């Protein structure tokens, strides 16, 4: 059974998730190394699907490799590269290997990647994909063809509380919930007021929908400026950028900021955990988890 | 004859105003009179996470996000309430076979309401 489901549905435990580094080479040795670093802390780890429109080892293959190394994968499927047939094939391929956590995303556009000349697919959108995953759990494909026994997916999605139109983000989250998503991982949000409003709005209308905001561990102001300037949908208020860029010890200031953001996010309604993206690749992941009162899982 | 003529007439009328892409299953009434097929990702159920801080599109930085426009129009235009109520409905995947046909004919014949046998929008679990 999915630990994500078990923890989120049957306990009040805070659930931490992370992202598995995209795999390009290095075989299982690489998987093992990454798994050893993440396993002590995270209930589920995202197996990404060509993140930022760059090709890597496939979502399904990565998820299987992670599972083999003791990590519970949350397998992402994006709508950019695959039509509805391929997306259902991904879902059934995951089910075949006992992968229950499926997360459906729109996906960055092909122009965000290193092969912008690619055809963008977007045959279906993320909300339709969520609904199709749910339909599969009822024992049939989109066509109506029977699946017996039906896979038991624990379905999730992603939403961006920090991008316009802000009021509509809450309605869109609810639409994903109605389609079948049980929890949402949220895009990184440096605007605390936007995150507060989003969580309160969701909690009011769909108290069962669980939220997992993202926290990014960075070493300096540089990656923050990069996200702010180069990643559509991410905006970082100037005073926050200044706070880190003007600090004598940027790494320490960035760390402190992250802990503050994390602690704040955890106080918000419907928030049941945090998604931690580690851009530092130093020992601060451990420090961070201890500072949030976590202990390594066995 | 009508089957050939109507797509042409529909395109001539709808193209200049809504930049109609002739998907053949028009949802304009439920999307604030804004065509979701003009979104570069052809999203029919709301905006992606890449909308820029100034409200412009992730893919085409000098174009306003189609869904931002749709939402604003839904809120501010004096549209019938039932149309507004349909804004948050789950729109099914596009039937690619209808591309280029007249949505008017498809509306009258109810062809545009046909969905795959497995498609259902009710989740019994909550
Ligand atoms: S920003 Fe808006 S118009 Fe552009 S791809 Fe995303 S949803 Fe479509």
């Amino acid at each position: 059974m999915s630990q994500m489901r078990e923890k989120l549905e049957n306990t009040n435990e805070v659930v931490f998730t992370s992202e598995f580094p995209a795999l390009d080479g290095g075989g299982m040795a690489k998987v093992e190394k990454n798994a050893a670093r993440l396993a002590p802390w995270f209930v589920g780890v995202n197996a990404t699907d060509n993140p930022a429109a760059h090709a890597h080892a496939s979502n399904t293959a990565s998820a299987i490799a992670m599972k083999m190394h003791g990590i519970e994968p949350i397998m992402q499927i994006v709508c950019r590269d695959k039509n509805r047939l391929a997306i259902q094939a991904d879902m059934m391929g995951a089910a075949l290997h006992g992968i229950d956590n499926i997360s459906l995303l729109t996906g960055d556009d092909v122009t965000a990647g290193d092969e912008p000349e690619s055809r963008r697919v977007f045959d279906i959108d993320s909300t339709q994909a969520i609904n199709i995953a749910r339909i599969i759990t009822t024992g049939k494909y989109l066509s109506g063809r029977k699946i017996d026994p039906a896979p038991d997916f624990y379905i999730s999605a992603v939403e961006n509380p920090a991008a316009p139109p802000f009021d509509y983000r809450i309605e869109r989250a609810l639409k994903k919930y109605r389609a079948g998503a049980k929890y949402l991982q949220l895009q990184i949000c440096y605007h605390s007021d936007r995150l507060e409003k989003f969580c309160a709005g969701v909690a009011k209308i769909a108290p069962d929908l669980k939220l997992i905001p993202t926290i990014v561990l960075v070493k300096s102001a540089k990656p923050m400026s990069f996200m702010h300037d180069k990643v559509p949908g991410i905006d970082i208020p100037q005073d926050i950028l200044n706070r880190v860029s003007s600090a004598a010890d940027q790494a320490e200031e960035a760390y402190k900021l992250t802990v503050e953001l994390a602690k704040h996010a955890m106080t918000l309604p419907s928030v049941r955990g945090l998604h931690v993206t580690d851009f530092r690749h130093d020992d601060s992941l451990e420090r961070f988890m201890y500072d949030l009162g976590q202990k390594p899982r066995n | 004859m009508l089957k050939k003529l109507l797509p042409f007439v529909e395109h001539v009328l709808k193209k200049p105003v809504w930049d109609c892409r002739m998907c053949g299953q028009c949802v304009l009434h439920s999307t604030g009179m804004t065509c979701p097929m003009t979104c570069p990702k052809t999203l029919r159920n709301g905006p992606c996470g890449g909308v820029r801080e100034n409200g412009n599109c992730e893919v085409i930085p000098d174009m306003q996000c189609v869904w931002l426009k749709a939402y604003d129009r839904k809120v501010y235009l004096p549209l019938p309430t039932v149309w507004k109520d349909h804004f948050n409905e789950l729109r099914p995947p596009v039937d690619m076979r209808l591309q280029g046909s007249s949505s008017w004919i498809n509306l009258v014949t109810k062809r545009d309401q046909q969905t795959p046998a497995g498609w259902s929008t009710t989740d019994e679990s909550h």
Side-chain angles (χ1 to χ4, degrees):
Chain A
M1 161 138 168
S2 151
Q3 281 299 299
M4 287 298 294
R5 184 203 304 262
E6 169 62 21
K7 301 260 189 239
L8 287 175
E9 302 295 335
N10 300 332
T11 74
N12 286 322
E13 285 175 45
V14 186
V15 168
F16 285 85
T17 63
S18 188
E19 199 146 288
F20 210 76
L23 296 164
D24 296 307
M28 289 299 164
K30 188 85 167 276
V31 176
E32 201 178 339
K33 203 168 145 231
N34 285 318
R37 201 169 61 87
L38 299 172
W41 305 107
F42 300 107
V43 178
V45 179
N46 294 356
T48 54
D49 186 7
N50 290 349
H54 289 67
H56 299 284
S58 78
N59 52 349
T60 319
S62 304
I64 296 167
M66 289 161 64
K67 197 161 184 266
M68 283 163 59
H69 290 87
I71 296 271
E72 179 166 308
I74 301 166
M75 192 174 110
Q76 296 189 331
I77 304 175
V78 309
C79 298
R80 176 195 58 239
D81 307 326
K82 294 165 184 154
N83 71 4
R84 64 196 83 176
L85 290 173
I87 286 175
Q88 291 177 90
D90 266 7
M91 292 174 186
M92 294 310 292
L96 181 65
H97 289 274
I99 294 159
D100 297 332
N101 305 312
I102 302 283
S103 176
L104 292 316
L105 290 72
T106 308
D108 300 306
D109 187 60
V110 293
T111 48
D114 57 355
E115 297 179 42
E117 68 279 14
S118 309
R119 177 194 289 265
R120 55 174 77 88
V121 179
F122 298 112
D123 179 38
I124 55 174
D125 63 36
S126 56
T127 318
Q128 292 162 348
I130 294 164
N131 196 44
I132 291 172
R134 182 190 59 75
I135 289 167
I136 286 182
T137 65
T138 69
K140 53 186 194 254
Y141 287 97
L142 178 58
S143 68
R145 181 159 45 95
K146 226 171 134 196
I147 304 168
D148 186 22
D152 192 17
F153 294 140
Y154 189 53
I155 305 168
S156 64
V158 170
E159 189 50 73
N160 186 350
F166 305 115
D167 292 342
Y168 182 47
R169 291 287 163 189
I170 297 167
E171 294 175 36
R172 183 159 149 81
L174 295 174
K175 193 172 187 173
K176 290 177 175 176
Y177 169 68
R178 285 198 306 272
K182 302 296 183 196
Y183 67 97
L184 301 176
Q185 289 173 317
L186 306 181
Q187 173 72 280
I188 176 71
C189 178
Y190 283 94
H191 290 265
S192 298
D193 53 329
R194 292 181 189 172
L195 187 63
E196 282 164 15
K197 223 175 140 200
F198 178 85
C199 296
V202 168
K204 202 166 135 207
I205 318 179
D208 276 352
L209 179 61
K210 291 133 190 105
L211 303 176
I212 303 189
T214 292
I215 292 298
V216 183
L217 281 166
V218 290
K219 245 185 196 153
S220 66
K222 207 170 143 204
M224 293 171 70
S225 302
F226 177 84
M227 287 190 275
H228 176 75
D229 294 335
K230 294 281 186 297
V231 184
I234 299 184
D235 182 84
I236 306 182
Q238 200 55 49
D239 55 330
I240 293 190
L241 281 172
N242 290 348
R243 174 177 156 186
V244 178
S245 64
S246 65
D249 183 348
Q250 287 202 14
E252 186 56 22
E253 197 59 37
Y255 179 79
K256 277 194 196 143
L257 170 72
T258 309
V259 173
E260 281 167 32
L261 289 171
K263 287 191 170 160
H264 172 257
M266 284 165 75
T267 63
L268 301 177
S270 286
V271 168
R272 282 297 312 279
L274 288 180
H275 179 74
V276 184
T277 307
D278 181 10
F279 288 153
R280 288 179 71 125
H281 302 298
D282 54 13
D283 53 6
S284 56
L285 174 63
E286 226 176 87
R287 178 183 172 203
F288 177 73
M289 298 303 282
Y290 277 117
D291 280 352
L292 292 185
Q294 297 301 300
K295 297 205 170 57
R297 296 147 40 87
N298 28 348
Chain B
M1 182 60 205
L2 206 60
K3 242 184 148 169
K4 279 204 177 125
L5 187 65
L6 271 180
F8 173 73
V9 177
E10 184 173 346
H11 189 65
V12 167
L13 290 176
K14 283 163 83 172
K15 170 83 189 161
V17 188
W18 292 292
D19 195 11
C20 169
R21 303 292 159 97
M22 296 300 287
C23 70
Q25 43 226 292
C26 192
V27 291
L28 273 175
H29 72 281
S30 72
T31 53
M33 300 308 284
T34 309
C35 175
M37 303 315 274
T38 60
C39 155
K41 300 183 185 175
T42 59
L43 304 180
R44 280 169 91 93
N45 285 295
C48 71
V51 183
R52 291 165 193 270
E53 185 68 8
N54 65 0
N56 281 7
C57 170
E58 169 195 331
V59 186
I60 308 173
D62 54 8
M63 174 185 95
Q64 190 186 24
C65 166
V66 167
W67 278 98
L68 203 74
K69 202 189 290 175
Y71 186 67
D72 276 355
R73 287 183 178 170
K74 190 272 274 198
V75 173
Y76 297 112
L77 280 187
L79 299 172
T81 319
V82 309
W83 289 11
K84 292 198 182 202
D85 290 347
H86 284 170
F87 192 79
N88 280 334
E89 75 183 8
L90 175 54
R91 281 170 280 277
V94 171
D95 185 336
M96 295 298 166
R97 293 170 299 181
L98 296 183
Q99 177 72 44
S101 65
S102 167
S103 73
W104 295 340
I105 294 180
N106 299 335
L107 178 74
V108 174
T109 60
K110 295 205 169 24
R111 173 65 182 84
D112 64 351
Q113 284 168 35
Q114 283 175 24
T115 50
W119 181 260
S120 101
T121 52
T122 32
D123 184 353
E124 293 84 17
S125 71
H126 51 239

